[in-house]
Amino acid sequence: MNFKDWSLSAWVAGFLAVLISYCGPLVIFIQAAQAGHMPPQALSSWIWAISMGAGLSGLLLSWWLRIPVITAWSALGTALLLSLFPHISMPEVVGAYLSAAALVVVIGLSGYFEKIVHLIPKGIAAGMMAGILFQFGVQAFRASMDLPAVVLVMLVAYLAGRRFWPRYTVVLVAVLGLVVAAITGKTNLQALELVLAEPVFVAPVFNLGTFLSFTVPLLLVSLTGQYLPGMAVLRLAGYHVPSRAAVTGTGLASLLVACFGGISIVLASITAALCTGKDAHPDSDKRYVAGMANGVFYLLGATFAGTIVLVFSAFPPALIAALAGLALIGAIASNIGLLAQESVIEPAVVTFLATASGMTLFGLGAAFWGVVFGMASHGLLHLRRSAA
């Protein structure tokens, strides 16, 4: 590595990418832990695992490929996990993580990533993702009943941020929400202190029900909702990223951290834009440093995961719910937009409604049935129109 390639702008871009991840997608993780009644030690281990996985994979891939490979954990998969708690145990969750990671590694090594992704109808994948995320968007407004002043300020901040500083909207919303909560006496900042992470190993349990309800949807949302747009961001920025290396590398990182509570490590898309543009460095050949910096800051976050837990514990749950919902409005809108673009829209809507319903049938979750009903609708309507 040439230290002459280093620049302050690249390190700032890497830091902002991590900050946005901790202000947005991490909040979903906090909510999942609350829904699963996980103790602080387990949550600290989760944050250590996802930060370590994202940090190592992003740092090493950026250094090896000499391009800004920005990685993160599967925010969509975490939202799916929230819908399954508390009916699923942590050992079963870890088993699902390991199964999904192994499948990602196989897909990466096979070199068939693009072919496999294109076998999945966009409307079905978008309908499932919109259905998973729908509850988060609703929670943002439900939270206003508990903290009306705080949530109103956060909503105004979101709209202003989308209008004037779209890249930093989530950070703006989080900062203003935390400040207003502190001013109105809704916090417990006295409990904050530096606490190192203590990883907790969880032995996996594998079963077919969890595989169908969690592993399969987790794999689908990771491939279509994160790997595919993450790859697109890199290629639109002019980088020829080999999908085999990126998918396999992140899949291996997922395997390493799964037993400590780390959900699938994937390519980032929203935060990746910060590190692949001119703001990171005028010379595109030197922007890989931003990817490495991103990895370094994730590793720092992993080290002090215990402190991160205390930070989020110091603020009311309603604020966390509002922040998660507002941070995901863009993702909800983009997936709903994909529904409208489908030539056969009914299967996509069927998938969305079934997934958003939260239904369970034969012990299998809503995301699984959303895909099943959506694919069945797609097949029947396609067959009918082909016959016509």
Side-chain angles (χ1 to χ4, degrees), residues 23 150 153-154 171-187 189 311-312 314-316 319-320 323:
C23 289
V150 176
V153 169
M154 293 171 70
V171 175
L172 177 66
V173 171
V175 169
L176 286 180
L178 299 180
V179 168
V180 175
I183 292 173
T184 55
K186 304 293 184 181
T187 62
L189 300 178
V311 169
F312 282 100
F315 293 92
L319 185 149
I320 304 300
L323 180 55

Side-chain angles (χ1 to χ4, degrees), residues 2 67 86 159 165 243 365:
N2 189 349
I67 59 177
L159 296 173
W165 311 282
S243 60

Side-chain angles (χ1 to χ4, degrees), residues 6-149:
W6 288 34
S7 65
L8 178 60
S9 60
W11 281 88
V12 169
F15 171 74
L16 286 174
V18 172
L19 181 61
I20 289 172
S21 293
Y22 282 155
C23 289
L26 184 63
V27 180
I28 308 169
F29 226 68
I30 305 294
Q31 282 197 292
Q34 292 172 346
H37 307 294
M38 296 298 163
Q41 295 82 357
L43 178 55
S44 174
S45 181
W46 289 12
I47 296 174
W48 176 87
I50 58 176
S51 300
M52 187 64 68
L56 288 175
S57 58
L59 176 62
L60 295 176
L61 285 171
S62 296
W63 169 74
W64 179 34
L65 299 174
R66 288 295 191 274
I67 59 177
V69 180
I70 308 303
T71 55
W73 55 92
S74 178
L76 299 173
T78 309
L80 172 63
L81 176 62
L82 179 58
S83 70
L84 295 173
F85 273 146
H87 305 294
I88 186 172
S89 69
M90 197 58 209
E92 290 174 325
V93 169
V94 169
Y97 287 171
L98 285 170
S99 301
L103 290 171
V104 168
V105 171
V106 170
I107 291 171
L109 290 174
S110 71
Y112 289 120
F113 166 74
E114 280 86 1
K115 291 182 179 179
I116 292 173
V117 168
H118 287 120
L119 288 175
I120 306 168
K122 288 183 179 180
I124 303 300
M128 181 180 65
M129 287 187 282
I132 292 169
L133 299 177
F134 175 75
Q135 295 300 326
F136 288 92
V138 172
Q139 285 178 7
F141 295 94
R142 286 177 181 164
S144 64
M145 293 187 291
D146 297 322
L147 295 172

Side-chain angles (χ1 to χ4, degrees), residues 270-290:
I270 297 174
T271 54
L274 293 171
C275 301
T276 56
K278 293 182 179 180
D279 289 341
H281 200 286
D283 186 348
S284 61
D285 291 334
K286 297 181 179 180
R287 292 174 196 161
Y288 73 93
V289 175

Side-chain angles (χ1 to χ4, degrees), residues 130-220:
I132 292 169
L133 299 177
F134 175 75
Q135 295 300 326
F136 288 92
V138 172
Q139 285 178 7
F141 295 94
R142 286 177 181 164
S144 64
M145 293 187 291
D146 297 322
L147 295 172
V150 176
V151 175
L152 180 60
V153 169
M154 293 171 70
L155 179 59
V156 172
Y158 175 82
L159 296 173
R162 292 298 300 166
R163 175 63 178 86
F164 299 105
W165 311 282
R167 286 187 177 179
Y168 312 109
T169 298
V170 174
V171 175
L172 177 66
V173 171
V175 169
L176 286 180
L178 299 180
V179 168
V180 175
I183 292 173
T184 55
K186 304 293 184 181
T187 62
N188 183 27
L189 300 178
Q190 296 82 1
L192 297 183
E193 60 179 326
L194 286 179
V195 180
L196 297 177
E198 295 183 9
V200 178
F201 180 85
V202 178
V205 169
F206 301 93
N207 62 60
L208 182 60
T210 304
F211 181 84
L212 295 175
S213 292
F214 189 26
T215 302
V216 172
L218 173 59
L219 183 65
L220 289 178

